[in-house]
Amino acid sequence: MSGVSGVSPEGATAAGPGDGPPPDLTHERLKAYEGRPTAAAGVGKDLVNEPMIRHWCEAVGDTHPAYRGPDAIAPPTMLQAWTMGGLSGHADRSGAYDELSRLLDSAGYTSIVATDCEQEYLRPLRPGDRITFDSVIESVSERKTTKLGTGHFITTRMDIRADGEPAGTHRFRVLKYAPAARPPKTAERPKATERQQATEPSRAAERRTAAEQRMTPEQPTAAEQRMTPERRTPRRPRPVVNRDNAGFWEGVRRHRLLIQRCTGCRTLRFPWLPGCNACGSPEWDTVGASGTGTVFSYVVMHHPPFPAFTAPDQQADGAGPAAADLDTAGPDTAGPGAASPYAVGLIELAEGVRMVSNIVGIPYDKVRIGMPVRLEFLRADEELELPVFRVAEGGEG
C-alpha cells in the first residue's frame, strides 16, 4: 500500500552546486543518523479490538465479511493505526528524529511534506493481539531538487509485531526542504526617464500600467493582459491517471460516471481498483451511474484557500444547469469555483457505492446529511472536467 503527495525521490533531481547547505552539513553527517532508533520496544496503547475495526470499516465503507463476526481480523491497512499514540503521544520515543529535524532546520530546510508510505503485511491481526514495534531512520537521501524546493528525503521504517510475532512493516517518507523562491507579486519598478520613454515606449507603458494596478488591484497589468488565460489563471492539480483508473476519466470526458462491477460476483466498487475486494477476481466491466444520490457525510473547507479552487469554473456543455446558476447564491455558494469556505461531500450513489466530490449550488452552511443530490459535470479549465453534485430540486428544505 502506498500514498503519494506528488513529490517523490524518483522524480527529484540532484541539487546544483550553487544552492547548497552550510559547509558543515554534509551528506555524510546526515547519513550518520541512518540506523538510529526513533522508537524501541514501543507498545500499542490498545489491543487490537472490534470497536476500532468497526469504526474504521464504517468510515471507509468497507463491508468485507472478514472484518466482522467471531473470527474477525483487522483490515490490513489499519497496521499503523495500532501503533499511533493519539493526542498524548508515546513516552518511549528517542530523540534521534527530532535531532535530525533540528539539524535540517538550522540549515534552512524548515518546511516538511509527507510524500508516501509503504506497508508490508506478514500476518493477520485479530482482536486481542498485543502490538509492539521498533522504528528506525532507514535512510536520508542526498540533497534533491523538486518543484517544492531543495531538501532531503527521510525514510523511517517501523517493524510491527503481534504477540511477539512479525506482523508487518510500515515505511514512511517525508521531504524536509527549503521552499523554492517565488517572484514578488507586484515588484516596484523605477519610473522611466523621458529618453527611455522615447526609445522604449512599450516598456514605459507597462511601467505606467503597473503603477495604476497598485491603485486598482483588480485591473491586470499590460503584461498580464498579453498572457494567455491558461498562464494567468492558477490551474488545479491534475488527477493521477493510470491504467487502473483511465476508464473512469475517459467516462468523465464523455459525461458518464462509470462504476466498476466484478464479473465474478457482480459486486460494484468505487473508487476503481485492479481487483475485486469481495472475491479477488481481476475481471470486471462497468455500469453507468444514474447520477442520483444522497449526502452521506461532508466537511467544510475553510483553510487554506487555494487560488486554483477559487477561480470560476465553467459548466461543461450539456452537463446540467448553466454555469451562471452557480453564482446566484452569493459568495457563500458552495462550489468548486466558489470562494472558500466550500463543502466537500461523501456522496452515496443510488447504486450503493460512495464517492468524494464537491456539493455545488448551495451555501456551505446549508448542506445536510441525507440531502438528495444529482450529478453534473463542471469544467475546471480548458482540459479538465470534474464530476460534482448539485442539491436536487426541493432538497434544500
Side-chain angles (χ1 to χ4, degrees):
M1 172 191 175
S2 65
V4 180
S5 72
V7 179
S8 68
E10 294 76 12
T13 59
D19 183 24
D24 60 335
L25 186 59
T26 63
H27 186 225
E28 288 72 21
R29 184 178 179 188
L30 297 176
K31 282 183 68 67
Y33 285 87
E34 294 182 352
R36 291 185 59 177
T38 60
V43 179
K45 290 199 167 183
D46 297 286
L47 302 179
V48 177
N49 61 86
E50 293 181 7
M52 286 180 64
I53 294 173
R54 177 172 54 82
H55 294 164
W56 177 283
C57 291
E58 289 181 355
V60 302
D62 195 335
T63 60
H64 197 289
Y67 307 144
R68 59 180 184 270
D71 298 320
I73 63 172
T77 50
M78 288 188 73
L79 183 67
Q80 185 195 18
W82 308 111
T83 70
M84 300 178 78
L87 295 178
S88 58
H90 283 286
D92 51 2
R93 294 290 196 266
S94 75
Y97 196 90
D98 290 340
E99 183 181 322
L100 175 59
S101 295
R102 288 194 297 269
L103 179 62
L104 290 167
D105 286 343
S106 67
Y109 304 119
T110 54
S111 296
I112 188 169
V113 61
T115 62
D116 62 287
C117 70
E118 301 172 6
Q119 292 184 343
E120 180 182 7
Y121 311 119
L122 303 179
R123 58 150 280 190
L125 299 180
R126 295 181 172 83
D129 284 344
R130 182 175 181 81
I131 301 300
T132 56
F133 55 91
D134 297 307
S135 180
V136 299
I137 299 172
E138 187 172 59
S139 66
V140 184
S141 77
E142 295 182 350
R143 192 159 51 96
K144 303 285 187 176
T145 297
T146 73
K147 288 185 177 181
L148 292 178
T150 299
H152 297 267
F153 290 92
I154 305 172
T155 303
T156 56
R157 187 190 77 244
M158 180 179 290
D159 296 313
I160 301 168
R161 298 174 297 277
D163 292 336
E165 299 178 8
T169 301
H170 175 81
R171 284 181 172 85
F172 189 71
R173 187 174 293 112
V174 301
L175 172 65
K176 280 284 286 179
Y177 67 100
R182 297 182 178 180
K185 293 183 178 179
T186 54
E188 293 285 341
R189 296 181 178 180
K191 291 184 178 180
T193 64
E194 291 182 1
R195 181 177 180 181
Q196 288 172 326
Q197 291 182 16
T199 57
E200 299 179 309
S202 62
R203 293 182 62 186
E206 287 183 14
R207 294 189 183 100
R208 290 194 300 271
T209 305
E212 294 170 358
Q213 185 192 17
R214 288 193 291 274
M215 293 182 288
T216 57
E218 68 278 3
Q219 297 297 324
T221 64
E224 287 175 330
Q225 289 176 339
R226 291 197 299 271
M227 293 171 66
T228 61
E230 299 94 278
R231 293 181 61 195
R232 190 164 58 240
T233 303
R235 289 161 60 91
R236 294 193 183 201
R238 305 291 95 175
V240 177
V241 180
N242 54 41
R243 63 182 181 181
D244 292 330
N245 66 10
F248 170 77
W249 290 107
E250 174 60 23
V252 169
R253 189 184 67 81
R254 294 184 284 115
H255 296 168
R256 297 188 66 202
L257 184 64
L258 298 179
I259 303 170
Q260 275 185 315
R261 178 175 60 188
C262 174
T263 57
C265 66
R266 312 302 287 177
T267 299
L268 300 180
R269 63 178 184 264
F270 193 92
W272 282 36
L273 296 170
C276 179
N277 54 10
C279 73
S281 171
E283 304 300 327
W284 54 271
D285 59 12
T286 62
V287 296
S290 66
T292 61
T294 58
V295 178
F296 185 83
S297 184
Y298 70 96
V299 296
V300 174
M301 297 297 297
H302 291 270
H303 187 82
F306 295 102
F309 286 82
T310 59
D313 291 308
Q314 300 296 322
Q315 186 73 33
D317 294 338
D325 293 346
L326 298 179
D327 299 323
T328 57
D332 289 336
T333 297
S340 183
Y342 55 90
V344 178
L346 178 61
I347 307 300
E348 184 165 74
L349 300 178
E351 291 74 17
V353 298
R354 299 172 189 159
M355 70 175 291
V356 176
S357 184
N358 288 102
I359 303 171
V360 304
I362 184 173
Y364 69 89
D365 57 354
K366 300 298 183 183
V367 177
R368 296 291 182 268
I369 290 175
M371 182 174 280
V373 293
R374 56 185 173 81
L375 172 71
E376 61 182 46
F377 294 87
L378 285 182
R379 186 181 299 278
D381 54 47
E382 76 287 350
E383 297 176 352
L384 180 63
E385 292 184 19
L386 298 169
V388 298
F389 289 87
R390 177 181 290 272
V391 175
E393 187 175 351
E396 298 183 41

